[in-house]
PDB file of all heavy atoms in Angstrom:
ATOM      1  N   ALA G 277       0.527   2.211  -0.759  1.00 89.00           N
ATOM      2  CA  ALA G 277       1.293   3.450  -0.863  1.00 89.00           C
ATOM      3  C   ALA G 277       1.313   4.213   0.418  1.00 89.00           C
ATOM      4  O   ALA G 277       0.432   4.222   1.291  1.00 89.00           O
ATOM      5  CB  ALA G 277       0.666   4.389  -1.884  1.00 89.00           C
ATOM      6  N   SER G 309       7.245   5.398  -7.976  1.00 94.00           N
ATOM      7  CA  SER G 309       6.180   6.157  -8.558  1.00 94.00           C
ATOM      8  C   SER G 309       5.457   7.035  -7.513  1.00 94.00           C
ATOM      9  O   SER G 309       5.279   6.604  -6.366  1.00 94.00           O
ATOM     10  CB  SER G 309       5.179   5.269  -9.250  1.00 94.00           C
ATOM     11  OG  SER G 309       4.605   4.352  -8.292  1.00 94.00           O
ATOM     12  N   VAL G 310       5.071   8.189  -7.913  1.00 96.00           N
ATOM     13  CA  VAL G 310       4.432   9.201  -7.038  1.00 96.00           C
ATOM     14  C   VAL G 310       3.205   9.707  -7.697  1.00 96.00           C
ATOM     15  O   VAL G 310       3.169  10.025  -8.874  1.00 96.00           O
ATOM     16  CB  VAL G 310       5.437  10.356  -6.768  1.00 96.00           C
ATOM     17  CG1 VAL G 310       4.747  11.352  -5.791  1.00 96.00           C
ATOM     18  CG2 VAL G 310       6.660   9.815  -6.103  1.00 96.00           C
ATOM     19  N   LEU G 311       2.121   9.813  -6.935  1.00 95.00           N
ATOM     20  CA  LEU G 311       0.884  10.495  -7.336  1.00 95.00           C
ATOM     21  C   LEU G 311       0.662  11.703  -6.446  1.00 95.00           C
ATOM     22  O   LEU G 311       0.485  11.555  -5.253  1.00 95.00           O
ATOM     23  CB  LEU G 311      -0.215   9.547  -7.320  1.00 95.00           C
ATOM     24  CG  LEU G 311      -1.646  10.148  -7.633  1.00 95.00           C
ATOM     25  CD1 LEU G 311      -1.597  10.828  -9.031  1.00 95.00           C
ATOM     26  CD2 LEU G 311      -2.706   9.028  -7.634  1.00 95.00           C
ATOM     27  N   TRP G 344     -10.391   7.165 -13.738  1.00 89.00           N
ATOM     28  CA  TRP G 344      -9.176   7.596 -12.969  1.00 89.00           C
ATOM     29  C   TRP G 344      -7.999   7.834 -13.984  1.00 89.00           C
ATOM     30  O   TRP G 344      -7.271   8.751 -13.796  1.00 89.00           O
ATOM     31  CB  TRP G 344      -8.907   6.557 -11.917  1.00 89.00           C
ATOM     32  CG  TRP G 344      -7.772   6.981 -10.946  1.00 89.00           C
ATOM     33  CD1 TRP G 344      -6.643   6.193 -10.720  1.00 89.00           C
ATOM     34  CD2 TRP G 344      -7.711   8.110 -10.179  1.00 89.00           C
ATOM     35  NE1 TRP G 344      -5.898   6.842  -9.832  1.00 89.00           N
ATOM     36  CE2 TRP G 344      -6.469   7.994  -9.486  1.00 89.00           C
ATOM     37  CE3 TRP G 344      -8.553   9.185  -9.991  1.00 89.00           C
ATOM     38  CZ2 TRP G 344      -6.128   9.073  -8.535  1.00 89.00           C
ATOM     39  CZ3 TRP G 344      -8.112  10.188  -9.017  1.00 89.00           C
ATOM     40  CH2 TRP G 344      -6.929  10.047  -8.310  1.00 89.00           C
ATOM     41  N   LEU G 348      -5.321  11.530 -14.539  1.00 93.00           N
ATOM     42  CA  LEU G 348      -3.916  11.627 -14.262  1.00 93.00           C
ATOM     43  C   LEU G 348      -3.104  12.250 -15.386  1.00 93.00           C
ATOM     44  O   LEU G 348      -3.314  11.937 -16.522  1.00 93.00           O
ATOM     45  CB  LEU G 348      -3.323  10.224 -13.985  1.00 93.00           C
ATOM     46  CG  LEU G 348      -3.959   9.414 -12.743  1.00 93.00           C
ATOM     47  CD1 LEU G 348      -3.282   8.083 -12.589  1.00 93.00           C
ATOM     48  CD2 LEU G 348      -3.951  10.242 -11.516  1.00 93.00           C
ATOM     49  N   PHE G 358       2.993  11.492 -11.446  1.00 94.00           N
ATOM     50  CA  PHE G 358       1.699  11.816 -11.996  1.00 94.00           C
ATOM     51  C   PHE G 358       0.909  12.745 -11.069  1.00 94.00           C
ATOM     52  O   PHE G 358       1.125  12.768  -9.788  1.00 94.00           O
ATOM     53  CB  PHE G 358       0.794  10.500 -12.185  1.00 94.00           C
ATOM     54  CG  PHE G 358       1.442   9.575 -13.187  1.00 94.00           C
ATOM     55  CD1 PHE G 358       2.367   8.698 -12.808  1.00 94.00           C
ATOM     56  CD2 PHE G 358       0.998   9.600 -14.487  1.00 94.00           C
ATOM     57  CE1 PHE G 358       3.021   7.814 -13.696  1.00 94.00           C
ATOM     58  CE2 PHE G 358       1.585   8.735 -15.382  1.00 94.00           C
ATOM     59  CZ  PHE G 358       2.573   7.846 -15.048  1.00 94.00           C
ATOM     60  N   LEU G 379      -8.794   8.879  -2.276  1.00 87.00           N
ATOM     61  CA  LEU G 379      -7.502   8.450  -1.740  1.00 87.00           C
ATOM     62  C   LEU G 379      -7.193   7.066  -1.948  1.00 87.00           C
ATOM     63  O   LEU G 379      -6.022   6.661  -2.228  1.00 87.00           O
ATOM     64  CB  LEU G 379      -7.512   8.790  -0.204  1.00 87.00           C
ATOM     65  CG  LEU G 379      -6.096   8.494   0.513  1.00 87.00           C
ATOM     66  CD1 LEU G 379      -4.998   9.354  -0.104  1.00 87.00           C
ATOM     67  CD2 LEU G 379      -6.201   8.828   1.990  1.00 87.00           C
ATOM     68  N   GLU G 380      -8.204   6.128  -1.837  1.00 87.00           N
ATOM     69  CA  GLU G 380      -7.982   4.780  -2.062  1.00 87.00           C
ATOM     70  C   GLU G 380      -7.559   4.458  -3.493  1.00 87.00           C
ATOM     71  O   GLU G 380      -6.708   3.639  -3.841  1.00 87.00           O
ATOM     72  CB  GLU G 380      -9.265   3.946  -1.683  1.00 87.00           C
ATOM     73  CG  GLU G 380      -9.446   3.755  -0.262  1.00 87.00           C
ATOM     74  CD  GLU G 380      -8.232   3.222   0.491  1.00 87.00           C
ATOM     75  OE1 GLU G 380      -7.796   2.142   0.074  1.00 87.00           O
ATOM     76  OE2 GLU G 380      -7.688   3.865   1.461  1.00 87.00           O
ATOM     77  N   ALA G 381      -8.216   5.158  -4.430  1.00 85.00           N
ATOM     78  CA  ALA G 381      -7.833   5.116  -5.849  1.00 85.00           C
ATOM     79  C   ALA G 381      -6.394   5.504  -6.084  1.00 85.00           C
ATOM     80  O   ALA G 381      -5.645   4.897  -6.827  1.00 85.00           O
ATOM     81  CB  ALA G 381      -8.807   5.849  -6.719  1.00 85.00           C
ATOM     82  N   ALA G 382      -6.012   6.604  -5.337  1.00 86.00           N
ATOM     83  CA  ALA G 382      -4.636   7.071  -5.537  1.00 86.00           C
ATOM     84  C   ALA G 382      -3.694   6.126  -4.910  1.00 86.00           C
ATOM     85  O   ALA G 382      -2.526   5.874  -5.593  1.00 86.00           O
ATOM     86  CB  ALA G 382      -4.519   8.394  -4.798  1.00 86.00           C
ATOM     87  N   ARG G 383      -3.969   5.536  -3.769  1.00 88.00           N
ATOM     88  CA  ARG G 383      -2.980   4.573  -3.174  1.00 88.00           C
ATOM     89  C   ARG G 383      -2.778   3.307  -4.023  1.00 88.00           C
ATOM     90  O   ARG G 383      -1.684   2.670  -3.778  1.00 88.00           O
ATOM     91  CB  ARG G 383      -3.524   4.246  -1.769  1.00 88.00           C
ATOM     92  CG  ARG G 383      -3.550   5.372  -0.822  1.00 88.00           C
ATOM     93  CD  ARG G 383      -4.014   5.010   0.547  1.00 88.00           C
ATOM     94  NE  ARG G 383      -2.897   4.420   1.354  1.00 88.00           N
ATOM     95  CZ  ARG G 383      -2.916   4.166   2.589  1.00 88.00           C
ATOM     96  NH1 ARG G 383      -4.051   4.529   3.307  1.00 88.00           N
ATOM     97  NH2 ARG G 383      -1.953   3.652   3.275  1.00 88.00           N
ATOM     98  N   SER G 384      -3.698   2.965  -4.784  1.00 86.00           N
ATOM     99  CA  SER G 384      -3.518   1.834  -5.644  1.00 86.00           C
ATOM    100  C   SER G 384      -2.683   2.069  -6.839  1.00 86.00           C
ATOM    101  O   SER G 384      -2.349   1.136  -7.595  1.00 86.00           O
ATOM    102  CB  SER G 384      -4.831   1.264  -5.992  1.00 86.00           C
ATOM    103  OG  SER G 384      -5.482   2.156  -6.871  1.00 86.00           O
ATOM    104  N   ALA G 385      -2.323   3.319  -7.144  1.00 83.00           N
ATOM    105  CA  ALA G 385      -1.700   3.678  -8.314  1.00 83.00           C
ATOM    106  C   ALA G 385      -0.219   4.083  -8.226  1.00 83.00           C
ATOM    107  O   ALA G 385       0.432   4.350  -9.219  1.00 83.00           O
ATOM    108  CB  ALA G 385      -2.442   4.875  -8.998  1.00 83.00           C
ATOM    109  N   ALA G 386       0.302   4.180  -6.986  1.00 92.00           N
ATOM    110  CA  ALA G 386       1.672   4.668  -6.877  1.00 92.00           C
ATOM    111  C   ALA G 386       2.245   4.128  -5.570  1.00 92.00           C
ATOM    112  O   ALA G 386       1.563   3.652  -4.683  1.00 92.00           O
ATOM    113  CB  ALA G 386       1.634   6.171  -6.842  1.00 92.00           C
ATOM    114  N   ALA G 387       3.618   4.288  -5.382  1.00 93.00           N
ATOM    115  CA  ALA G 387       4.286   3.966  -4.164  1.00 93.00           C
ATOM    116  C   ALA G 387       4.097   5.034  -3.131  1.00 93.00           C
ATOM    117  O   ALA G 387       4.174   4.717  -1.885  1.00 93.00           O
ATOM    118  CB  ALA G 387       5.741   3.713  -4.451  1.00 93.00           C
ATOM    119  N   TYR G 388       3.973   6.268  -3.482  1.00 96.00           N
ATOM    120  CA  TYR G 388       3.723   7.401  -2.663  1.00 96.00           C
ATOM    121  C   TYR G 388       2.606   8.204  -3.151  1.00 96.00           C
ATOM    122  O   TYR G 388       2.499   8.493  -4.356  1.00 96.00           O
ATOM    123  CB  TYR G 388       5.016   8.306  -2.510  1.00 96.00           C
ATOM    124  CG  TYR G 388       6.124   7.680  -1.720  1.00 96.00           C
ATOM    125  CD1 TYR G 388       7.069   6.905  -2.363  1.00 96.00           C
ATOM    126  CD2 TYR G 388       6.280   7.917  -0.364  1.00 96.00           C
ATOM    127  CE1 TYR G 388       8.187   6.349  -1.658  1.00 96.00           C
ATOM    128  CE2 TYR G 388       7.294   7.412   0.400  1.00 96.00           C
ATOM    129  CZ  TYR G 388       8.272   6.652  -0.267  1.00 96.00           C
ATOM    130  OH  TYR G 388       9.341   6.073   0.431  1.00 96.00           O
ATOM    131  N   VAL G 389       1.769   8.696  -2.228  1.00 95.00           N
ATOM    132  CA  VAL G 389       0.762   9.658  -2.534  1.00 95.00           C
ATOM    133  C   VAL G 389       1.054  10.936  -1.724  1.00 95.00           C
ATOM    134  O   VAL G 389       1.158  10.832  -0.526  1.00 95.00           O
ATOM    135  CB  VAL G 389      -0.647   9.144  -2.217  1.00 95.00           C
ATOM    136  CG1 VAL G 389      -1.714  10.220  -2.499  1.00 95.00           C
ATOM    137  CG2 VAL G 389      -0.961   7.893  -2.949  1.00 95.00           C
TER     138      VAL G 389
END
Side-chain angles (χ1 to χ4, degrees):
S309 59
V310 178
L311 176 54
W344 186 236
L348 301 184
F358 295 85
L379 183 60
E380 287 305 307
R383 295 183 78 168
S384 66
Y388 287 88
V389 176

